[in-house]
Amino acid sequence: MIIEETSVSRRPKRAMPAWLLGALVVAYILIALNRSLWGEAHDALAVSQGTAGFWALSIAVWGRLIANMVLTVAIVLWPRIGKPLLAILILVSAASAYYTQTFGVRLNEEIIQSIFETTRAEAGALITPAFLGWMALYGVLPVVIIAVLPVRFMPMWRSLGVRAAIILVAAAMLLLPHFLVGRNYIYFERNHRGMYDVYHPYAALSGTFHYLQRDVFRKKPVVTPIGTDAALAPSAAMAARKRVVVLVVGETARAENQSLQGYGRDTNPEMKREGAIYFSDAWSCGTATTVSVPCMFSNMTREKFDKPAAKARWNALDVLQHAGVDVFWRDNDEGCKDVCARVPNDDVTDAKIAGLCDASGCVDDILVGDLPERLAKMRSPALLVLHIKGSHGPAYFKRYPAEFNVFKPGCETAEVQTCSYAQTVASYDNTILYTDHILGKVVEALKAEPDTDSAMMYLSDHGESLGENDVYLHGADWATAPSQQKHIPMLMWLSPGWVRDSGLRMDCVAQRRVQPASQDNLFHTLLGFFGTRTEVYKPELDLLAGCQG
């Protein structure tokens, strides 16, 4: 119920003044739904303790965070629309707070984009009983109370005056840091910008705005070709033997849990048996699929990568297709993030195949069951990209068939925070073991064609936190993210014919595999696989170029 105050005699005695409701909502969101924010702000300020102007800096930081929320509520709290808008602020804050406080997730732009672009099955895995209970208590209940609470608004002109005063005071508090502490605050903001990724509802609303502005409402860019001079070297283009590369793009696999990396559990038995070349010092471009996948296929390095710019130009697949390579992308994850927009592709995430698919999606065997037939259809030279679901969390237990439930006891729920660390790791390790099986199936299919020079390369898009320091999942800012989210597995398998016809010196490759590598290398390594000549190819970034001849 919303009541507009018109006179003292007609004023309902039991109605709450609108300004008091606004103050209570501000207090509720800041105190109950922003516990992570205050913890981060405290830790960030602790670094500056003892410096000149510390107390002024502290007042400026606290004041700015509070004023931001006061300003937001003052702007939205109007008759008729005030309650629905407050409800949105509370519900968004409650949902954000659950994932921040439960999993340590940071709602940066990459995570917001992932939320919008994830599949229904993946989104459903995050809506757990614990989340629904949290939302009922911290989101729905306060909204219901506000909905039934009688609220008294001042007459329009008086309301405008009071509202203007509140907005001016809040705006002054937002500007106060620059007058109180000047450069100190600028440095603080620069060094602790990530603090705003756990500021609710600011993080979610700001991220959504930027996502819509950048990827939805912005005019689709005209894609600029690069590498238009690309051509296959005569030795590759006219080779008598068929030449096939299968690139497997992994999901959420971290190097730390690979037995080829030295991990205690035997999580890579098939790749060890096949003699895979494992690059032990490989790193991702980002900590979220929305960054890493476009980045790894771009010819930009991580330091220079820009998503809009990458989206507006050709990537490795385009250049290879232009050069004459038969390129095909098959997806069982969250889509190719526009990387495969201009090449033939197939999305199997919504397939309905008994034994392989259920309401949560399909296991990765769906990509390799018909692999021999798929490879037979492709002309030489060919590049087949398989985007697997891999170790996508938090429902790790759903990522592998029952026969791969080897490491026990596991975590049989998407609410991994309720499991012990050992249980979470066990289920995660089973996903790594199953991915190894998928890679083994790829190698098996390639080995079945002895007259074909074949290669398989695998790398994950990013890693994963499994509860270390109470951080789960991924998506942290790259600069501050733990190594578990950035250090990734990367490996190759090369057929004997490939090694022979490429003139590879395997002793050199053995030395290269322990040197630093990253997703920056993929663009140039893919071009190098096919002997592609083009001005955009940089041999120094090709993992194998230095070992040929």
Side-chain angles (χ1 to χ4, degrees):
M1 179 184 297
I2 297 178
I3 301 168
E4 183 172 331
E5 178 185 317
T6 56
S7 68
V8 175
S9 60
R10 294 173 56 189
R11 186 181 305 165
K13 295 181 178 179
R14 296 184 179 180
M16 175 179 288
W19 68 265
L20 180 56
L21 173 63
L24 291 174
V25 169
V26 167
Y28 174 69
I29 293 177
L30 287 176
I31 296 172
L33 303 180
N34 271 289
R35 293 198 290 271
S36 296
L37 170 67
W38 302 121
E40 288 224 1
H42 176 273
D43 293 343
L45 284 168
V47 177
S48 303
Q49 196 165 10
T51 60
F54 170 73
W55 289 109
L57 176 63
S58 299
I59 293 170
V61 170
W62 302 124
R64 188 176 175 87
L65 295 174
I66 294 170
N68 198 320
M69 189 63 63
V70 171
L71 185 62
T72 301
V73 172
I75 290 173
V76 305
L77 190 52
W78 292 90
R80 294 185 177 84
I81 65 170
K83 284 188 175 183
L85 292 178
L86 289 181
I88 291 173
L89 293 179
I90 290 173
L91 292 173
V92 170
S93 298
S96 301
Y98 174 77
Y99 291 107
T100 297
Q101 294 174 198
T102 303
F103 298 115
V105 170
R106 312 184 73 82
L107 296 179
N108 52 38
E109 287 187 32
E110 285 70 40
I111 291 299
I112 296 298
Q113 182 176 354
S114 298
I115 291 171
F116 276 100
E117 297 181 359
T118 192
T119 62
R120 285 175 293 177
E122 295 300 336
L126 294 171
I127 303 175
T128 63
F131 171 75
L132 295 176
W134 172 283
M135 288 300 296
L137 180 61
Y138 289 96
V140 176
L141 180 60
V143 166
V144 170
I145 292 173
I146 290 174
V148 301
L149 188 69
V151 178
R152 183 174 73 242
F153 283 83
M154 298 176 185
M156 179 59 71
W157 293 111
R158 184 180 172 192
S159 174
L160 287 174
V162 173
R163 192 183 305 272
I166 294 173
I167 291 174
L168 285 173
V169 171
M173 292 178 66
L174 289 174
L175 296 173
L176 188 64
H178 298 284
F179 295 103
L180 270 182
V181 287
R183 288 185 178 180
N184 282 352
Y185 188 80
I186 294 174
Y187 294 145
F188 180 87
E189 282 274 284
R190 182 181 301 167
N191 294 330
H192 303 288
R193 185 66 191 167
M195 182 175 67
Y196 292 99
D197 293 339
V198 294
Y199 185 13
H200 313 309
Y202 171 87
L205 295 178
S206 175
T208 298
F209 172 79
H210 285 101
Y211 169 73
L212 295 175
Q213 180 190 48
R214 183 189 67 213
D215 295 302
V216 178
F217 297 128
R218 177 180 289 182
K219 184 179 179 181
K220 298 297 182 183
V222 176
V223 178
T224 302
I226 63 170
T228 54
D229 61 332
L232 304 181
S235 59
M238 297 184 293
R241 293 165 60 86
K242 186 174 182 179
R243 198 168 185 83
V244 173
V245 175
V246 177
L247 171 66
V248 182
V249 178
E251 171 66 60
T252 322
R254 67 187 199 180
E256 186 173 309
N257 292 61
Q258 314 289 322
S259 56
L260 290 174
Q261 186 79 34
Y263 187 53
R265 284 176 171 162
D266 191 11
T267 52
N268 308 127
E270 296 196 39
M271 288 300 93
K272 180 180 180 181
R273 183 169 60 250
E274 297 293 352
I277 304 161
Y278 184 81
F279 296 86
S280 58
D281 194 15
W283 298 82
S284 68
C285 181
T287 62
T289 306
T290 55
V291 174
S292 289
V293 169
C295 183
M296 71 170 74
F297 286 93
S298 162
N299 69 330
M300 302 179 190
T301 59
R302 183 185 66 79
E303 290 80 4
K304 297 180 180 178
F305 180 70
D306 177 76
K307 280 193 289 185
K311 193 173 183 178
R313 64 198 294 183
W314 278 7
N315 57 61
L317 304 186
D318 299 303
V319 175
L320 287 171
Q321 181 172 253
H322 176 75
V325 176
D326 188 9
V327 179
F328 197 90
W329 178 291
R330 301 197 79 194
D331 206 289
N332 187 39
D333 197 24
E334 296 180 346
C336 68
K337 311 308 177 188
D338 288 326
V339 168
C340 65
R342 294 167 295 277
V343 302
N345 60 85
D346 179 26
D347 191 326
V348 301
T349 52
D350 291 326
K352 309 294 182 186
I353 300 178
L356 295 178
C357 309
D358 58 22
S360 65
C362 304
V363 293
D364 287 321
D365 264 301
I366 195 171
L367 292 172
V368 296
D370 63 345
L371 186 58
E373 294 79 9
R374 171 68 60 180
L375 292 173
K377 292 178 182 178
M378 301 185 74
R379 58 176 174 76
S380 180
L383 170 64
L384 175 62
V385 184
L386 303 179
H387 190 196
I388 65 174
K389 195 177 294 288
S391 304
H392 201 301
Y396 307 115
F397 71 105
K398 292 184 178 181
R399 303 296 168 245
Y400 48 86
E403 59 267 30
F404 287 89
N405 187 18
V406 174
F407 305 113
K408 302 176 181 178
C411 181
E412 302 295 315
T413 175
E415 297 169 13
V416 290
Q417 76 283 1
T418 65
C419 297
S420 69
Y421 179 69
Q423 288 174 310
T424 301
V425 171
S427 288
Y428 182 83
D429 286 346
N430 288 331
T431 69
I432 303 299
L433 181 66
Y434 180 55
T435 293
D436 179 72
H437 164 74
I438 297 298
L439 299 179
K441 297 284 282 187
V442 173
V443 171
E444 179 183 321
L446 294 175
K447 290 172 66 176
E449 298 292 336
D451 294 330
T452 298
D453 285 352
S454 54
M456 186 269 291
M457 183 174 181
Y458 163 76
L459 75 168
S460 184
D461 57 354
H462 53 77
E464 185 84 324
S465 290
L466 299 177
E468 298 87 4
N469 299 314
D470 292 324
V471 176
Y472 294 85
L473 307 180
H474 53 268
D477 290 333
W478 203 93
T480 58
S483 62
Q484 289 89 353
Q485 295 187 27
K486 300 184 291 188
H487 190 193
I488 58 170
M490 178 188 289
L491 60 83
M492 290 182 189
W493 174 88
L494 306 172
S495 71
W498 184 287
V499 173
R500 180 189 66 246
D501 295 340
S502 298
L504 275 178
R505 293 177 285 110
M506 295 309 292
D507 57 335
C508 172
V509 174
Q511 294 177 0
R512 178 65 185 90
R513 68 182 182 83
V514 296
Q515 296 170 6
S518 75
Q519 291 175 346
D520 292 349
N521 298 113
L522 182 65
F523 179 97
H524 306 279
T525 302
L526 287 177
L527 268 59
F529 277 148
F530 299 99
T532 312
R533 294 176 174 176
T534 169
E535 63 180 0
V536 296
Y537 169 70
K538 295 181 178 179
E540 65 271 19
L541 289 177
D542 180 345
L543 290 170
L544 299 180
C547 296
Q548 290 179 321

